[in-house]
Amino acid sequence: MATATSHTADEARTSRPASALPKYGRLKNFVGGAFIDVPGRSMSVISPLDGSFLAEMPCSSAADLDLAVKAAQAAFPAWSRTPIKERVQVLFRYRHLLEKHMQDLAALVSEENGKTLGEAVAEIEKCVELTEFATSLPQLVTGEVLEVSKGVECRTEHPPLGVVASIVPFNFPAMVPNWTMPNALALGNCMIIKPSEKVPLSLVRLAELLQEAGLPEGVFNIVNGDSEVVEAICDHPGIEAISFVGSTKVAKLVYRRATNNLKRCLALGGAKNHLLVLPDAKPEMTAQNVAASMSGCAGQRCMAASAMIGVGAIDHIIEKICEEARRIIPGRNLGAVINAEAKERIERYITEAEQQGAKVLVDGRGATVEGKDKGTYVGPTVIDGVKPHMAIAREEVFGPVISIMRVDTLDEALAIENANPYGNAAAVFTQNGGYARYVIDRASAGMVGVNVGVPVPREPFSFGGWNESKFGVGDITGKSSIEFWTRLKKSTVKWNPEAGINWMS
């Protein structure tokens, strides 16, 4: 997954266009229902599509975070006491606004992230679905009540935690915030979000829509910044829980620091997703799914296929994959990678694999788009003959690259998949139901697909991996999120003294 805090301010300044004014000016934090200035150092927000200078993002301090926490704490008593049926009315209106402004939101996501407009529209459509699920929470948190003895009943309820925080990555500027925000707010929490310093613009617009939908002041807040703010979020005594999405390296740091401060934390990390392709797989369907999985969002998603394991004779399928890959054109149906550093890193992986003996069947290095010389593009890349020990087979490349390894048996393929330290997703392509079940039972991944290249669960099923792809218990989306964003309160009530006392009451 994307790293939420990967650049220093000095590194960001080096990419700022000379003698240029940012299109969106200097951004502000959103605190207590108002956009407020944050003086001091800043970072440049650059569009990967064409290198244009989009905005100056302020680097907030621990004191700036404290202002947001106090605003959220002030809003919490009234918001948490508002009945959940009333709280979700705000989200019904917010959902309508997402649909109303879908094209404008998608254009902004594309501009700051680099994905195609179609992919950006799909991201906003997912935001709509996530919000729809949040509006159903009144039916899912009704609690339980049971008469456990004559005149004695036990009841469970789900009160909110208080002030919570979400630290989000660059690869989905709108969707990942909507993984957490609608559910956390519907359940009665007040939230602080720290956007990625690479893509802070979409969250500004989401805050405006929430405000238009009638969300009370202080319930939702944005604090821009770099690693200083992440550390402050982990340390602040007024924050009860933290969700994080980013690289495994940073996820571990956030999880350890947050839990060391006795906070609830769920940190989602990186991935190395394996697609197991068997000889009986449908060639056309498999090729389309593999190509789309490895290149969608320029490969910058934690569910992208980056490693393929061919079992037996699958040359005919690899030929089809290459045909599909050649139809994917940077700037047309393939977006940009996030910045020049990412482009250089991805191309370095490809070159290193080639030097180690792998064969580049489709080469995306050196990709350019006419009229966008300063854009950062990598073309679709298919590499055959990759060995499990190579870096490109073990590490998260986060680009439109598929590395193909060859084995003779399904057990050999599963051994390679199981040996990788991550555990987000795995998939198998076959027409044999027995083989499919065999892989589902044995793949070391939290999400498994059969003839599906990107096995992302739809709501109400939750998103979450295993192993070094997730740190913490539960998930932050779907039904599982209820446990993360609330406490469980149990009450036992008796109103009939004439019933006497027994071991049950």
Side-chain angles (χ1 to χ4, degrees):
M1 289 190 178
T3 305
T5 56
S6 57
H7 288 300
T8 66
D10 288 339
E11 289 172 332
R13 288 191 189 101
T14 61
S15 60
R16 181 187 302 169
S19 303
L21 294 175
K23 178 178 178 180
Y24 296 100
R26 184 180 173 92
L27 302 182
K28 301 178 180 182
N29 287 349
F30 184 70
V31 176
F35 288 97
I36 61 173
D37 290 315
V38 181
R41 66 189 181 95
S42 64
M43 302 174 72
S44 300
V45 181
I46 307 298
S47 173
L49 291 176
D50 56 11
S52 59
F53 186 16
L54 297 180
E56 286 279 4
M57 188 211 71
C59 295
S60 303
S61 66
D64 297 315
L65 172 68
D66 190 56
L67 289 175
V69 173
K70 288 176 178 175
Q73 288 174 326
F76 178 70
W79 181 246
S80 61
R81 287 195 297 266
T82 301
I84 188 171
K85 293 283 282 186
E86 294 180 27
R87 290 197 297 258
V88 299
Q89 297 309 308
V90 174
L91 296 174
F92 276 112
R93 294 190 291 270
Y94 171 68
R95 179 203 175 281
H96 167 73
L97 291 170
L98 287 173
E99 286 195 324
K100 179 180 177 181
H101 298 286
M102 184 171 294
Q103 294 302 320
D104 291 341
L105 287 165
L108 187 57
V109 166
S110 176
E111 186 176 25
E112 67 174 344
N113 170 270
K115 62 185 62 179
T116 68
L117 187 59
E119 290 169 339
V121 168
E123 179 170 344
I124 306 305
E125 288 175 337
K126 181 62 178 179
C127 294
V128 171
E129 183 190 40
L130 291 161
T131 306
E132 285 176 350
F133 174 76
T135 63
S136 74
L137 284 171
Q139 283 69 52
L140 299 177
V141 293
T142 52
E144 297 175 298
V145 61
L146 180 67
E147 188 179 43
V148 295
S149 183
K150 187 64 176 177
V152 179
E153 66 179 30
C154 286
R155 179 184 298 271
T156 61
E157 299 169 273
H158 296 272
L161 298 175
V163 178
V164 299
S166 189
I167 303 165
V168 296
F170 75 79
N171 55 335
F172 287 92
M175 185 193 77
V176 174
N178 278 280
W179 273 359
T180 61
M181 177 268 294
N183 290 358
L185 298 187
L187 292 166
N189 299 287
C190 293
M191 175 166 272
I192 296 164
I193 287 192
K194 190 211 93 69
S196 165
E197 61 270 27
K198 301 180 185 72
V199 292
L201 295 166
S202 296
L203 260 173
V204 171
R205 190 71 185 108
L206 295 181
E208 292 172 342
L209 296 184
L210 283 167
Q211 193 171 44
E212 185 178 346
L215 191 69
E217 296 177 356
V219 174
F220 179 76
N221 306 272
I222 299 172
V223 178
N224 292 289
D226 55 11
S227 58
E228 181 178 346
V229 172
V230 174
E231 292 167 358
I233 288 171
C234 292
D235 295 343
H236 200 293
I239 294 174
E240 302 294 332
I242 300 170
S243 72
F244 172 89
V245 180
S247 71
T248 288
K249 178 182 177 181
V250 182
K252 287 180 178 179
L253 293 172
V254 169
Y255 184 78
R256 287 173 177 149
R257 189 157 182 162
T259 54
N260 188 57
N261 285 309
L262 307 180
K263 299 183 190 302
R264 187 177 296 191
C265 184
L266 186 53
L268 305 189
K272 192 69 181 177
N273 305 317
H274 290 69
L275 306 184
L276 283 58
V277 178
L278 278 60
D280 71 330
K282 294 287 187 182
E284 293 287 348
M285 179 176 71
T286 301
Q288 290 170 1
N289 271 270
V290 171
S293 180
M294 69 95 162
S295 66
C297 300
Q300 298 176 129
R301 54 186 179 185
C302 61
M303 293 295 284
S306 58
M308 174 180 145
I309 307 174
V311 181
I314 60 158
D315 285 349
H316 62 299
I317 297 176
I318 292 175
E319 289 174 7
K320 292 286 186 183
I321 291 171
C322 291
E323 290 175 13
E324 290 293 332
R326 293 187 184 101
R327 296 189 182 102
I328 301 169
I329 310 299
R332 187 184 305 169
N333 55 353
L334 178 65
V337 297
I338 192 64
N339 55 27
E341 181 188 31
K343 176 181 170 71
E344 291 166 7
R345 187 193 71 251
I346 295 162
E347 293 183 346
R348 187 165 60 247
Y349 273 113
I350 299 167
T351 299
E352 182 182 281
E354 187 176 42
Q355 291 170 344
Q356 292 175 340
K359 185 177 181 180
V360 180
L361 304 181
V362 180
D363 194 344
R365 289 172 290 185
T368 58
V369 174
E370 186 177 353
K372 297 180 178 180
D373 296 339
K374 293 183 179 179
T376 49
Y377 295 86
V378 178
T381 301
V382 181
I383 310 174
D384 198 4
V386 172
K387 303 301 181 184
H389 70 270
M390 295 180 181
I392 202 167
R394 294 182 290 104
E395 299 172 11
E396 186 175 37
V397 177
F398 226 58
V401 181
I402 188 79
S403 302
I404 302 174
M405 293 169 274
R406 307 276 196 136
V407 298
D408 294 324
T409 69
L410 185 54
D411 283 331
E412 289 178 279
L414 283 165
I416 293 172
E417 191 279 332
N418 286 182
N420 99 90
Y422 301 107
N424 237 22
V428 60
F429 288 84
T430 181
Q431 292 301 298
N432 185 304
Y435 289 153
R437 187 70 246 178
Y438 193 81
V439 172
I440 291 171
D441 290 343
R442 290 163 177 78
S444 183
M447 295 168 281
V448 183
V450 176
N451 299 318
V452 176
V454 184
V456 176
R458 300 290 298 272
E459 305 304 314
F461 299 99
S462 60
F463 182 99
W466 288 3
N467 309 328
E468 294 210 347
S469 291
K470 187 180 78 171
F471 304 93
V473 177
D475 291 319
I476 54 176
T477 70
K479 289 182 179 179
S480 297
S481 70
I482 297 170
E483 299 300 323
F484 184 74
W485 296 118
T486 64
R487 309 177 197 274
L488 186 63
K489 178 172 283 189
K490 289 78 65 176
S491 59
T492 304
V493 179
K494 179 178 180 178
W495 294 111
N496 57 337
E498 70 278 2
I501 297 175
N502 62 28
W503 69 273
M504 298 184 70
S505 62

